[in-house]
Amino acid sequence: MRLHRLTITAFGPFADTQEIDFDALSAAGIFLLHGATGAGKTSVLDAVCYALYDAVPGARQIKGGATKDASLRSDHAPAGTSTEVLLELTVAGRRLEITRRPARTRPKKRGTGVTTEKAQSQLREYDSQSAQWHGLSRSHQEIGEEIGQLLGMSREQFCQVVLLPQGDFARFLRADAEARGKLLGRLFDTRRFAAVEDRLAELRRGAEQQVRAGDERLLGVAQRIAQAAGAGIEQPLPARQPGDPGLAPAVLAWAAVARSTAHERLDIAGSALSGAESRQATARRLLDTERELARLQERFAEGRRRAEALEARRPQYEAARATLERARKADRVAPALALREDAERAHRTAAADRDRARTRLPAELTESGADQLFALERKMIEELGRVDAARGAERRSAEISRERADLDRQARADDELLADAAGWLADWDSARRQHQERVETAQEAATRAEQLAGQLEPARGQLEAAHTRDTLEARAAGSEGLLNSARERANDAKEIWLDLRERRLRGIAAELADRLVAGEPCAVCGSADHPEPARATAGQVGQASEDAAFAASRRAEAAVAEAEREHASVREEYAAARSAAGGSTVAELVALTGRLGREYTEAHRLAAGTHAAREALAHAEREREDRLTARRSAENRVAARTSRREALDHEQTGLESELVRARGDADSVAAHAELLANRARLLAEAADAVRDFDTTAQRLKESDDRLADAAFRAGFDTPRAAAAALLSGAEQRGLTHRMDDWQAEAATVADRLAEPDARDAAERPPARLDTALMSYEAAESALRAASAALAGARERGAQLAGLSRQAEEEVRRLGPLRTEYERVARLAALTAGTSNDNDRKMRLESYVLAARLEQVAAAATARLLRMSSGRYTLVHSDARSGGAKRSGLGLHVVDSWTGGARDTATLSGGETFFVSLALALGLADVVTDEAGGARLDTLFIDEGFGSLDDQTLDEVLDVLDSLRERDRSVGIVSHVADLRRRIPTQLEVTKSRRGSTVSLRTGGTDG
């Protein structure tokens, strides 16, 4: 990877666009990046890292995405300038250009408030054949993946091997094994080896859990065996815990004892059951004999009781038999009785109907016979026929009357329509002129409203600008006063800081003397002897006081910059508002906008009626046409109605003479016809009722004669006696059933009293059923208890057998799990460094990192020998540090002058610098080779040269200059003044109140 060009805008301390030509810097092999403290030397490196990885180095990274913009954007940059970093480089043979713009907030272009611009990225590639740049991607993720694949290293690796922060490597030399392991782990990505350790530990925990779970299942089976065996087993459950190696054999042996005890109890229960079954059979036979005797004795006694009850019911049986015989004789008279009742019922109904019919006849006809009534009915029917012929003429006369009424209503409506049309049409000309004038007025108002709208909007904008102008004028005066006050405070704070700084520099020797420790080398000269250290004088200024004054000065300068930006912003807004407002005052503009607004409102109100006025005119014209058409139609209908009315009058005159004859004394022909029909119907009903009465009287007399004859033949003195003897079918069946039941009961009792077994049993002593039952129940209870004991013994034996097989299955299943657990546990302990087989207690990841550290030490030694004139060699040590600490990441320096090796933590300040530099360069080579990434042609070394003497500095620079043999360039970031003389190619960063700037110097010439 070689850097060509870096362009920075509004980034860090750089307010304006700064361009850095790395090709010119790299031509010398070694170049110096220098400037005052806080000028922005490190920000140049931050910009390179940000362009490549969209993030600055980890030590300067702001936590939380919300503050990322604030950490990158320059406080000196104008609000309209975007923060941008552009880097042109060559990597893996491809020339690329990366552009990054972080997210930022800016004032809205329109209105008030702020808006957020999203972060932007762009990747382009230079095509040498077409000599043009071609865009590759604008996606943050795609660009990050592409750069990561080309460089072959992460951001942490890049910052460590390209930017070479010396403070980190100095701490690395003094750190313990754990701290070194964290750094090397990030650089060499040994997460897979740590993952192997974690995986083996996880497997060990999983296998251990499976073994413990298997032991718990086995103990659970043992508990169930103890529960199934009950109190019969005397030996207690083995006192073992899950995970004990001897748990399985102990449980199996204990289960065998439980099974043997259960078999013995089963044999005892079988013998007891055989004896109980024999005693129960004997008691059963005795109980059956006593029960049979008791049954026969009870049967005979019950027969005697039923015979006595039967004799007591004999009189009832004889009475029922006599009643049934008399009812059967009366059944022969029943048809004649029914016939006579029907005739009597019909005669009573006919008499009632005749009486009702006669009440509706005239008095002179109440005693008339049926024939006379039928003759009068026929006369009424003949008269009704003559009246029906006149009904058609009556209906036609009524229709003519209704039609004439309709004609009269139509005539009145047409008269009203003609009068209304005549009145409306007389006013038509004046109404039409009014509608046309309304349309013309609305059109003129619309034109006026458009003109006023064009004048009103600029007037309102001018009024708003005038208000803003007056407001900003006062703000500008106030901001100017605040700016002057801030400048005065800043000048005072800077004078205080410069005075304190000058006083501290005069007494710096005393401050350095306070840090001296007897027997330890001086940070300035390196000597361990301090014969005459300087003493602090009265009024000595310490570093804390100077830093506080410097911080106060920086805060005051920041306040001045903020006040300047605020004042400039207010002045700019005031000028724009004054230009927009013109020379008019607010009162004049208020009056103007008010007058224009009122005129526009009135014109707009009138213009809004244009459509309504046009619609009203069109509606009036349509109404005029409709009224003319309606008037012509009404005149035509008046002429037609006159001729129709004359024809109807002539027809109705001819019908009236015929209707007078047909109506008679009634109001209408229909009423006369209805009267005749009612009279004919009453005569017919009365004639039918008289004839029915005569018929039913004859039938009643005939039925009386037949009933008397039937009763005499059946043996009854009178028909009434025969009727009293009648019984219904249900009553006769009930008597029959009671007689049949008495006879069946008599036969059954006779049979039972004649049974020989029952008669013999009645002669024997009473049966002793209670005694036999008690003996049987005792034998049955004993049998059930013995059977339950045997079933329990069998079930217990089956359960113990099944549980024993289950325990054996658990033991067989647990064997491979325990073997696997022991194997995995040994591997996990070995990789974790806790096994006795691991003598150095070295973890797997530490072992891999130790190999990488050994490579780094070898690569670093090649440069360290030149820097130390062959004195020092850097070697890796895997010896334990003592106590319980683990080994593997030790680092020693071998001193060829003494032949001894010592820990890197004992190096002096200067020694620590060039050893850490050699270590950083060696680490860069090893990491690059390990990652398989691109060749690194540009390196940066950040600070640390101030601790070297002249000779050592020359040797270090010779080593760095030797990197040119591999076509590599090294940028040294330092503010040491002596380096400016030794390194002619320089990139100087200069700070000012308006932001920092960069300048290129080559051989003393400004670039």
Side-chain angles (χ1 to χ4, degrees):
M1 178 196 73
R2 177 176 293 277
L3 305 181
H4 299 294
R5 178 171 57 93
L6 175 67
T7 303
I8 308 172
T9 302
F11 183 89
F14 304 104
D16 300 326
T17 301
Q18 305 294 321
E19 184 171 344
I20 301 173
D21 188 356
F22 281 109
D23 287 335
L25 293 172
S26 301
I30 299 178
F31 61 91
L32 177 65
L33 177 58
H34 71 94
T37 301
K41 302 186 295 298
T42 306
S43 296
V44 175
L45 307 184
D46 290 347
V48 174
C49 183
Y50 177 70
L52 293 173
Y53 293 97
D54 195 22
V56 296
R60 295 180 290 279
Q61 184 76 291
I62 298 297
K63 295 183 179 179
T67 60
K68 183 178 180 181
D69 175 48
S71 67
L72 300 180
R73 181 167 176 79
S74 174
D75 295 333
H76 304 281
T81 304
S82 299
T83 302
E84 180 179 284
V85 175
L86 184 147
L87 177 64
E88 183 181 341
L89 73 160
T90 297
V91 57
R94 299 170 60 185
R95 187 153 184 161
L96 303 176
E97 180 189 84
I98 307 171
T99 303
R100 302 277 192 183
R101 285 186 177 182
R104 75 182 187 101
T105 57
R106 62 168 178 80
K108 293 183 177 179
K109 296 180 179 179
R110 295 181 179 179
T112 60
V114 297
T115 184
T116 301
E117 289 184 353
K118 296 183 179 180
Q120 300 179 19
S121 298
Q122 182 181 12
L123 177 63
R124 299 197 303 169
E125 183 175 5
Y126 182 75
D127 187 356
S128 59
Q129 296 181 355
S130 62
Q132 293 180 353
W133 290 94
H134 298 287
L136 298 181
S137 177
R138 289 183 177 272
S139 169
H140 302 296
Q141 183 177 0
E142 291 179 358
I143 295 174
E145 293 176 354
E146 181 72 15
I147 297 301
Q149 291 178 0
L150 292 175
L151 293 178
M153 63 182 70
S154 63
R155 177 173 61 88
E156 290 77 8
Q157 291 175 321
F158 177 83
C159 295
Q160 198 70 40
V161 304
V162 176
L163 304 185
L164 300 183
Q166 291 307 296
D168 290 353
F169 282 98
R171 286 191 295 272
F172 180 81
L173 292 175
R174 295 185 175 91
D176 55 10
E178 183 178 359
R180 288 174 181 168
K182 291 181 180 179
L183 174 62
L184 294 174
R186 290 197 305 270
L187 295 177
F188 292 104
D189 192 15
T190 56
R191 290 175 294 180
R192 60 186 183 276
F193 301 103
V196 170
E197 297 178 21
D198 296 339
R199 179 57 179 166
L200 287 174
E202 181 181 356
L203 291 176
R204 179 188 61 76
R205 290 191 296 270
E208 181 181 7
Q209 184 65 28
Q210 289 181 347
V211 170
R212 292 182 64 86
D215 286 346
E216 290 176 356
R217 289 195 300 271
L218 182 60
L219 286 175
V221 174
Q223 293 288 348
R224 293 170 59 189
I225 291 175
Q227 184 178 2
I233 182 171
E234 299 179 355
Q235 184 176 354
L237 186 67
R240 299 298 180 99
Q241 297 296 326
D244 293 347
L247 176 63
V251 170
L252 293 179
W254 177 81
V257 174
R259 290 198 306 274
S260 176
T261 303
H263 283 305
E264 294 178 357
R265 293 170 63 87
L266 178 61
D267 294 339
I268 295 172
S271 300
L273 179 62
S274 299
E277 287 177 345
S278 176
R279 290 189 295 272
Q280 189 265 352
T282 301
R284 180 69 184 181
R285 288 192 297 271
L286 177 61
L287 178 61
D288 291 342
T289 301
E290 293 298 323
R291 280 179 174 173
E292 181 63 19
L293 177 61
R295 186 185 68 81
L296 292 175
Q297 290 176 348
E298 178 61 26
R299 184 178 180 83
F300 187 81
E302 183 184 0
R304 296 291 297 270
R305 289 191 299 270
R306 289 171 64 182
E308 294 173 357
L310 193 62
E311 281 300 322
R313 289 162 48 198
R314 180 178 292 276
Q316 298 175 2
Y317 166 75
E318 295 297 339
R321 185 174 61 179
T323 301
L324 182 59
E325 289 178 357
R326 187 174 177 81
R328 286 174 178 173
K329 289 179 181 181
D331 286 343
R332 294 194 292 271
V333 186
L337 285 171
L339 183 61
R340 199 272 176 187
E341 290 177 356
D342 292 341
E344 184 180 8
R345 188 166 47 253
H347 182 63
R348 286 195 302 268
T349 303
D353 292 341
R354 182 197 64 178
D355 295 340
R356 283 194 300 273
R358 282 178 174 180
T359 58
R360 294 194 294 269
L361 294 176
E364 66 271 12
L365 298 178
T366 54
E367 298 300 330
S368 300
D371 295 337
Q372 183 181 1
L373 293 174
F374 277 126
L376 290 174
E377 178 195 5
R378 285 193 295 272
K379 290 179 181 180
M380 292 293 177
I381 292 174
E382 291 173 358
E383 180 66 20
L384 182 61
R386 289 192 298 271
V387 173
D388 285 341
R391 286 187 175 183
E394 186 179 37
R395 287 193 296 271
R396 177 56 187 162
S397 178
E399 292 175 357
I400 292 173
S401 299
R402 288 193 296 272
E403 187 172 355
R404 288 190 64 183
D406 291 339
L407 292 175
D408 293 340
R409 285 193 299 272
Q410 293 174 6
R412 289 192 297 271
D414 286 340
D415 291 341
E416 293 175 358
L417 187 148
L418 290 172
D420 182 61
W424 192 90
L425 292 173
D427 299 333
W428 164 245
D429 292 335
S430 61
R432 181 179 182 183
R433 284 193 300 272
Q434 292 176 359
H435 287 302
Q436 289 177 345
E437 290 174 358
R438 183 182 172 192
V439 171
E440 293 173 358
T441 300
Q443 290 176 345
E444 293 175 357
T447 304
R448 177 61 177 164
E450 292 179 0
Q451 296 173 355
L452 291 173
Q455 299 173 9
L456 181 60
E457 189 62 28
R460 287 175 176 171
Q462 194 174 3
L463 175 60
E464 183 179 358
H467 281 295
T468 305
R469 176 198 62 196
D470 295 346
T471 301
L472 292 176
E473 185 175 5
R475 284 182 56 191
S479 64
E480 184 175 6
L482 294 175
L483 175 60
N484 293 333
S485 299
R487 285 173 175 171
E488 292 176 1
R489 289 193 296 272
N491 292 333
D492 294 342
K494 187 171 184 180
E495 290 178 1
I496 293 172
W497 168 61
L498 293 175
D499 178 64
L500 292 177
R501 185 167 182 266
E502 183 65 24
R503 289 165 58 189
R504 182 187 174 218
L505 290 177
R506 288 196 299 267
I508 194 67
E511 181 179 335
L512 294 176
D514 289 341
R515 301 177 184 176
L516 295 176
V517 179
E520 293 187 4
C522 175
V524 178
C525 64
S527 173
D529 298 328
H530 318 299
E532 296 181 1
R535 296 290 182 266
T537 61
Q540 175 70 40
V541 177
Q543 183 177 359
S545 300
E546 181 189 354
D547 291 343
F550 176 71
S553 176
R554 291 297 301 271
R555 288 194 298 271
E557 291 179 357
V560 171
E562 180 63 26
E564 289 176 348
R565 286 195 295 272
E566 178 66 21
H567 181 63
S569 176
V570 172
R571 294 295 299 176
E572 182 179 356
E573 293 179 4
Y574 170 71
R578 184 175 60 183
S579 175
S584 301
T585 64
V586 172
E588 293 173 348
L589 292 173
V590 168
L592 176 62
T593 54
R595 178 179 59 79
L596 292 176
R598 290 190 297 273
E599 293 178 359
Y600 172 76
T601 301
E602 179 63 20
H604 186 271
R605 183 185 63 79
L606 294 175
T610 302
H611 179 72
R614 290 175 177 173
E615 287 293 324
L617 177 59
H619 177 72
E621 291 176 346
R622 288 194 299 272
E623 185 176 0
R624 176 177 176 274
E625 293 297 329
D626 294 341
R627 287 181 179 272
L628 290 173
T629 301
R631 186 176 65 177
R632 288 192 294 270
S633 299
E635 292 172 349
N636 293 334
R637 288 195 298 272
V638 168
R641 277 195 300 273
T642 301
S643 58
R644 178 59 179 166
R645 186 181 289 109
E646 293 175 354
L648 292 176
D649 291 343
H650 177 71
E651 182 179 0
Q652 192 170 30
T653 302
L655 293 174
E656 281 299 325
S657 59
E658 180 182 354
L659 292 176
V660 170
R661 293 191 300 271
R663 282 195 293 266
D665 297 334
D667 295 336
S668 64
V669 175
H672 191 202
E674 185 179 359
L675 180 60
L676 293 175
N678 288 334
R679 289 177 179 176
R681 178 176 55 79
L682 293 176
L683 290 171
E685 291 177 354
D688 290 338
V690 171
R691 186 172 52 192
D692 290 343
F693 177 77
D694 296 340
T695 302
T696 54
Q698 181 63 30
R699 287 175 57 194
L700 178 60
K701 182 178 180 302
E702 293 174 356
S703 63
D704 286 338
D705 295 341
R706 284 194 294 272
L707 176 58
D709 183 60
F712 177 76
R713 286 196 301 271
F716 293 99
D717 295 337
T718 63
R720 186 178 300 276
L726 280 175
L727 293 177
S728 64
E731 292 174 335
Q732 291 185 22
R733 287 192 296 274
L735 291 175
T736 303
H737 289 161
R738 288 198 295 272
M739 293 171 60
D740 293 342
D741 291 343
W742 191 89
Q743 292 174 359
E745 177 70 8
T748 300
V749 169
D751 291 341
R752 181 166 296 184
L753 294 176
E755 291 178 354
D757 293 341
R759 191 169 52 250
D760 294 341
E763 296 175 356
R764 295 175 59 186
R768 295 180 299 174
L769 184 59
D770 294 340
T771 303
L773 181 60
M774 293 176 59
S775 300
Y776 173 74
E777 290 177 350
E780 181 70 17
S781 177
L783 177 61
R784 285 196 300 270
S787 178
L790 179 61
R794 287 175 178 171
E795 182 180 1
R796 185 177 299 107
Q799 288 182 352
L800 291 176
L803 292 173
S804 297
R805 289 191 299 271
Q806 187 175 353
E808 293 172 357
E809 180 64 25
E810 291 292 343
V811 171
R812 285 193 297 272
R813 187 185 308 165
L814 189 59
L817 294 177
R818 186 174 294 278
T819 302
E820 177 67 14
Y821 165 69
E822 294 174 354
R823 182 177 64 85
V824 172
R826 287 195 301 272
L827 287 175
L830 184 63
T831 57
T834 59
S835 174
N836 294 329
D837 297 333
N838 192 336
D839 296 335
R840 299 185 180 277
K841 304 300 180 184
M842 186 184 299
R843 295 172 49 241
L844 176 61
E845 184 181 13
S846 300
Y847 179 78
V848 176
L849 291 177
R852 296 292 183 265
L853 184 59
E854 187 174 0
Q855 296 175 357
V856 171
T861 298
R863 296 181 174 86
L864 181 59
L865 289 173
R866 294 186 58 183
M867 294 181 187
S868 62
S869 300
R871 178 180 179 183
Y872 294 121
T873 302
L874 195 63
V875 296
H876 159 255
S877 173
D878 57 2
R880 298 180 64 178
S881 301
K885 295 183 179 180
R886 299 180 180 180
S887 60
L889 298 178
L891 199 61
H892 290 171
V893 171
V894 178
D895 190 347
S896 61
W897 292 0
T898 63
R902 56 185 171 130
D903 193 272
T904 54
T906 62
L907 296 173
S908 65
E911 292 172 339
T912 298
F913 170 73
F914 63 73
V915 171
S916 63
L917 177 60
L919 182 66
L921 294 174
L923 182 63
D925 294 338
V926 174
V927 170
T928 303
D929 295 340
E930 171 68 17
R935 168 186 169 89
L936 302 178
D937 297 323
T938 304
L939 301 177
F940 294 91
I941 301 175
D942 192 356
E943 290 297 347
F945 290 88
S947 61
L948 302 180
D949 54 40
D950 292 343
Q951 181 179 355
T952 305
L953 181 60
D954 290 337
E955 292 173 350
V956 169
L957 292 178
D958 289 342
V959 172
L960 296 178
D961 189 59
S962 67
L963 295 176
R964 300 176 58 186
E965 300 173 0
R966 301 174 60 184
D967 195 21
R968 300 171 75 178
S969 61
V970 179
I972 298 175
V973 183
S974 178
H975 54 72
V976 176
D978 193 36
L979 290 176
R980 302 177 192 176
R981 177 180 55 80
R982 297 172 179 265
I983 303 176
T985 303
Q986 303 173 8
L987 180 65
E988 183 178 6
V989 183
T990 306
K991 65 178 180 179
S992 67
R993 292 185 176 183
R994 293 184 297 274
S996 300
T997 58
V998 298
S999 58
L1000 177 64
R1001 300 177 182 273
T1002 305
T1005 303
D1006 294 347

